[in-house]
Amino acid sequence: FKIGGGFHDVVYVTTVNNSVYAFDANATSASTPIWHVNFGAPANLHDADFGCLDINGKMGIIGTPVIDRQSGTLYVVALTRAGGGFIQRLHALDIATGADMPNSPVTIAAKDFNPLMQNQRPALLLSQETVYVGYASHCDKEPYHGFLIGYDTKSLRHTAVLNT
């Protein structure tokens, strides 16, 4: 990808601390990323009684992001503490800078969607100009739903929802 006036092989790394890093894959001794963004304090497994330890500690970015090479966009979901509650947001990041693209981020919402109880573990899917975000539960602790939610890649407008 073209970054900072040159072409780089880039490795993108996400963390449960709600961070995204871009590293030059060919600079094996580099300890500084090309860029880094953080989306704020992540939720923690101990913020609710899930009844198990399916995740060990923080639950910021769990699902694998997806990259749209044509538009140069990395899509990622972050679970963040917000005020006295929690929020999940879909971010569309410029792969060269890490900056949010226009209309990004967007709050993930649907009928019966609980941002803390829904576990965004599956990888994101990019298909026909739609980003799909899948959800499961934390150890089948009620109430939870299996969601698949679609967003338009350009506007990040909510376009589809399946609640199993």
Side-chain angles (χ1 to χ4, degrees):
F1 295 112
K2 190 170 185 178
I3 297 175
F7 288 91
H8 298 268
D9 294 322
V10 181
V11 174
Y12 297 94
V13 178
T14 61
T15 74
V16 294
N17 287 319
N18 271 339
S19 284
V20 182
Y21 297 87
F23 290 98
D24 186 323
N26 297 319
T28 56
S29 63
S31 60
T32 304
I34 297 169
W35 56 259
H36 163 247
V37 294
N38 182 273
F39 302 121
N44 188 291
L45 180 66
H46 304 291
D47 288 327
D49 179 17
F50 294 112
C52 71
L53 299 175
D54 65 334
I55 295 171
N56 186 10
K58 296 178 181 172
M59 305 184 307
I61 299 170
I62 301 293
T64 303
V66 66
I67 294 174
D68 181 344
R69 289 179 56 106
Q70 187 173 23
S71 70
T73 307
L74 181 144
Y75 297 94
V76 63
V77 173
L79 170 56
T80 308
R81 292 176 182 273
F86 304 91
I87 190 168
Q88 291 200 33
R89 292 185 182 105
L90 173 63
H91 290 264
L93 303 179
D94 181 318
I95 60 172
T97 66
D100 274 302
M101 300 291 270
N103 304 313
S104 175
V106 63
T107 299
I108 296 175
K111 184 178 184 298
D112 296 325
F113 183 85
N114 179 324
L116 183 60
M117 297 303 289
Q118 299 307 138
N119 184 2
Q120 201 286 296
R121 181 169 272 183
L124 277 64
L125 171 69
L126 179 63
S127 178
Q128 299 181 14
E129 298 183 0
T130 301
V131 175
Y132 292 97
V133 183
Y135 287 90
S137 69
H138 292 280
C139 303
D140 295 341
K141 177 74 174 182
E142 297 286 346
Y144 73 88
H145 301 271
F147 279 97
L148 185 60
I149 305 174
Y151 292 88
D152 177 76
T153 57
K154 292 184 181 34
S155 67
L156 291 187
R157 187 179 53 81
H158 180 247
T159 60
V161 65
L162 170 66
N163 177 352
T164 62

